[in-house]
Amino acid sequence: MEVTNPDKPFFPARGLTKGDLVAYYVDVAELALPHLRRRPFHMKRFTDGVEGEFFHQKRVPARHPDFVDEVFVQFPSGHSTVFAIVDNAEALAWVANLGCIELHTWHSRVPDIERPDYLLIDLDPTSDGQWSFVREIALVVHEVMDELGLRSYPKTSGATGLHILAPIKPELLFPDVRRFAKAVAMEVERRIDDQAIATTTWRVADRVGVFVDFGQNARDRTIASAYSVRPTPDARVSAPLLWDEVAAVEPGAFTLETMAARIADVGDPMRGMWRNPPSLRRRFAQLDVEPPSDS
């Protein structure tokens, strides 16, 4: 695939171009694609790089290459659209060439986009200087997930927070997964027992500590997937972590320029995470949460 305007500055502070962005995604495609395949892909396009304007584009361009798949999605409002599906390295390069610095995907996959295949806890600082709290809370989330028998995988958000994903069998609807995630978040909050460190308070104005966010477990919500570059001046990357790295991790260490060396050093901490996901259904009782219906 030909890259248009490969020398266009995309991260001027680092001297990085659109060509550098496309080359990065081609290089990490083998690691990134397991997290993208068969998921509706939400385009957030920075056609002039991080210092330019951006726009959201849900509908895949009508004229797109054959190697870019698509999926029709109906919304509760009655509106509908056709999302792109990024299943291969060529499609990944194509969306990057369109200015999609970030890889935003749904939590579910075709053919059943109504049932997510992972549970997400998003640790979102309320104010500056809370990164040490994020690391502390993440370890408690890990503890709770382990007790529930759920394998969990941390990654930097690439911005100011941290994502913890737990693969699950895609058998429950989004509202049920969200209820379970809320119970996990509240258990983490209870164990921390300090609202200045961890909170599930929904109203932003009432928060002090890091928000243990369970609300992302909802239909049509997206996150920047593993290995996604973020639109920051230093081209940070949402980097998968080993759990023994979390206590001392610094998110600024992971950028488009440093990821090749990191991958060579530690490999892929998320390798194989989508194999044999467990059922969430029988785990509701462990958190004293009403079990899901048979829907």
Side-chain angles (χ1 to χ4, degrees):
M1 189 207 77
E2 181 181 358
V3 179
T4 58
N5 301 315
D7 297 326
K8 177 183 280 192
F10 257 41
F11 302 90
R14 300 300 307 163
L16 297 169
T17 66
K18 185 207 274 192
D20 293 321
L21 178 72
V22 175
Y24 164 80
Y25 278 131
V26 171
D27 288 344
V28 302
E30 184 179 353
L31 285 66
L33 285 170
H35 307 285
L36 302 175
R37 286 192 180 102
R38 312 314 298 159
R39 298 190 190 278
F41 186 94
H42 179 111
M43 295 183 180
K44 184 179 178 182
R45 296 179 61 183
F46 293 79
T47 54
D48 293 313
V50 296
E51 294 186 358
E53 299 295 322
F54 67 86
F55 61 94
H56 294 274
Q57 181 176 342
K58 291 185 177 182
R59 181 173 294 274
V60 65
R63 297 179 62 183
H64 59 76
D66 290 342
F67 53 71
V68 177
D69 205 350
E70 59 183 42
V71 58
F72 174 83
V73 174
Q74 184 84 40
F75 296 99
S77 64
H79 296 295
S80 64
T81 194
V82 178
F83 284 92
I85 298 287
V86 177
D87 272 352
N88 52 70
E90 292 86 354
L92 183 52
W94 181 76
V95 295
N97 187 54
L98 290 179
C100 296
I101 291 174
E102 302 176 281
L103 308 177
H104 280 282
T105 57
W106 281 36
H107 302 343
S108 55
R109 304 187 198 241
V110 175
D112 192 351
I113 62 169
E114 303 303 330
R115 290 172 169 80
D117 69 346
Y118 68 89
L119 177 150
L120 172 69
I121 297 295
D122 180 4
L123 303 182
D124 185 12
T126 298
S127 59
D128 293 338
Q130 293 187 324
W131 182 251
S132 63
F133 294 164
V134 169
R135 295 184 299 201
E136 176 184 350
I137 298 164
L139 296 176
V140 177
V141 175
H142 185 207
E143 176 184 274
V144 173
M145 294 284 200
D146 274 358
E147 291 174 11
L148 290 167
L150 297 174
R151 293 176 290 117
S152 57
Y153 297 83
K155 68 181 182 71
T156 61
S157 71
T160 60
L162 194 142
H163 298 152
I164 301 167
L165 286 68
I168 57 174
K169 186 177 179 180
E171 60 183 349
L172 301 178
L173 297 173
F174 277 100
D176 287 323
V177 175
R178 186 182 185 277
R179 286 193 302 113
F180 189 92
K182 180 178 180 180
V184 170
M186 293 180 69
E187 175 61 16
V188 170
E189 178 187 47
R190 185 190 68 77
R191 294 189 188 192
I192 297 288
D193 195 27
D194 187 340
Q195 288 289 305
I197 295 177
T199 183
T200 59
T201 299
W202 194 254
R203 189 167 181 267
V204 176
D206 294 335
R207 293 181 202 155
V208 178
V210 172
F211 184 38
V212 186
D213 187 0
F214 54 87
Q216 295 295 331
N217 297 279
R219 189 182 192 270
D220 197 24
R221 295 290 179 89
T222 66
I223 62 167
S225 66
Y227 298 102
S228 173
V229 181
R230 303 303 303 272
T232 60
D234 58 355
R236 289 190 185 185
V237 169
S238 182
L241 303 170
L242 301 169
W243 272 114
D244 61 11
E245 295 179 298
V246 170
V249 67
E250 294 293 341
F254 310 115
T255 71
L256 186 155
E257 296 173 280
T258 66
M259 283 300 290
R262 170 168 173 78
I263 292 166
D265 183 34
V266 304
D268 180 11
M270 289 184 164
R271 181 173 180 170
M273 71 176 281
W274 302 111
R275 298 174 190 156
N276 302 314
S279 171
L280 201 62
R281 188 180 295 276
R282 66 179 180 82
R283 290 170 165 83
F284 279 70
Q286 292 176 254
L287 291 171
D288 294 324
V289 179
E290 182 181 349
S293 67
D294 291 332
S295 62

